[in-house]
Amino acid sequence: DGGITQSPKYLFRKEGQNVTLSCEQNLNHDAMYWYRQDPGQGLRLIYYSQIVNDFQKGDIAEGYSVSREKKESFPLTVTSAQKNPTAFYLCASSAGSSGRGYEQYFGPGTRLTVT
Amino acid sequence: KNEVEQSPQNLTAQEGEFITINCSYSVGISALHWLQQHPGGGIVSLFMLSSGKKKHGRLIATINIQEKHSSLHITASHPRDSAVYICAVSPWGSGTYKYIFGTGTRLKVLA
C-alpha cells in the first residue's frame, strides 16, 4: 500500500532536548512538507522540499531543521531553540507537478509533548 | 484578513440535516481542496476542484472561480461526519505547490 508514515504517534521529551520526527513516503512524490497544528488552530507550514537535497523555510521555521537526503524521507528536528514545541506535527507529500500534482497526501501525524 | 476564509467556524447539526460549509479566497488559484480531519488528527483529501462541481457519495463540492467562492455540502448528515473540514487553495503562479489553509469548520452531527 502506498502512503505516508510518521513515527512515533506520540512522543514525550524533556525541555532542552532535540527530537527528530520521522516522515517516510512510498508514493514516489517529489515534494514534501511539514506542518504544525496547535489546539483549535489551523495548519502552519514549517518547512517544505520540492526536490531531493533542497528545502525552503515555511512560515514558522525558527527552532526547526530538516534534511532531504532521499526522495522518500523528510525528517524534522525540533531543536531546543523552539520556544513552544508541544504540538501536533503533520507531514505531507505531493507529486509536485501540474494537475493532480497539487494534491497533498497527509501522514497520520505525531503528537509531541515537551515538559 | 486571511487569504482563505471559512464559515461557519463551528456547526452543530441533527442527523439527517443538509449541511453547507463555505470558503472564500482572495488569491488566484490553480486548485481548491477540501480536507477532512477526524478527531484522531489524520487528514484526508475529499476533493480537488478547479471548476464546476464534484460529487462523492453524500458529499458535493462546488466552486465559482469568478466569485472566488466554494461550498462543501453534506446531504443526509450522519454522526460519523463529525470532523473538522478544511478548505485549502493552491495559489496560482507561486512557483511552489504550497497550500494556503483556511482555519477550518468544526462540525458535530448529533444522533
Side-chain angles (χ1 to χ4, degrees):
Chain A
D1 274 331
I4 301 177
T5 56
Q6 290 185 245
S7 59
K9 192 172 174 69
Y10 299 95
L11 191 52
F12 298 88
R13 279 292 183 272
K14 294 288 187 189
E15 198 174 317
Q17 292 180 333
N18 290 356
V19 59
T20 297
L21 281 59
S22 164
C23 178
E24 304 276 330
Q25 54 98 359
N26 61 4
L27 299 167
N28 199 33
H29 284 172
D30 285 318
M32 297 186 75
Y33 314 82
W34 272 106
Y35 297 99
R36 170 184 173 135
Q37 188 177 41
D38 293 285
Q41 306 281 322
L43 290 157
R44 292 186 289 170
L45 181 65
I46 305 172
Y47 268 98
Y48 65 100
S49 168
Q50 298 193 137
I51 197 166
V52 175
N53 291 322
D54 188 45
F55 49 82
Q56 284 77 41
K57 293 181 180 179
D59 302 316
I60 54 163
E62 187 174 344
Y64 299 98
S65 66
V66 293
S67 62
R68 186 85 188 278
E69 297 175 2
K70 298 187 294 181
K71 188 175 186 177
E72 55 272 20
S73 179
F74 191 40
L76 173 75
T77 297
V78 184
T79 75
S80 56
Q82 168 50 235
K83 291 186 171 56
N84 297 297
T86 294
F88 185 59
Y89 291 88
L90 280 157
C91 178
S93 71
S94 67
S97 58
S98 61
R100 293 219 74 87
Y102 295 119
E103 189 170 18
Q104 292 186 21
Y105 294 78
F106 291 82
T110 292
R111 199 166 296 277
L112 173 65
T113 302
V114 176
T115 57
Chain B
K1 192 175 190 297
N2 293 336
E3 292 167 302
V4 179
E5 298 271 1
Q6 281 185 244
S7 64
Q9 283 190 297
N10 295 284
L11 182 56
T12 300
Q14 293 292 327
E15 185 173 356
E17 284 186 8
F18 181 85
I19 288 162
T20 296
I21 299 170
N22 295 299
C23 176
S24 296
Y25 54 92
S26 57
V27 296
I29 67 169
S30 302
L32 181 141
H33 312 265
W34 281 103
L35 311 172
Q36 181 190 56
Q37 185 173 29
H38 277 286
I43 291 179
V44 173
S45 178
L46 298 174
F47 295 104
M48 185 174 82
L49 295 159
S50 54
S51 64
K53 176 179 173 178
K54 287 191 176 180
K55 184 174 189 288
H56 182 69
R58 295 179 295 105
L59 301 177
I60 302 166
T62 64
I63 188 168
N64 184 318
I65 296 292
Q66 285 73 33
E67 294 187 5
K68 295 188 173 173
H69 181 268
S70 176
S71 293
L72 176 69
H73 305 286
I74 305 175
T75 62
S77 59
H78 189 275
R80 65 174 174 267
D81 296 325
S82 298
V84 176
Y85 292 84
I86 303 168
C87 174
V89 301
S90 298
W92 177 259
S94 69
T96 73
Y97 300 98
K98 294 190 292 181
Y99 283 3
I100 302 174
F101 293 91
T103 51
T105 295
R106 188 173 299 274
L107 171 66
K108 187 169 185 178
V109 181
L110 303 175

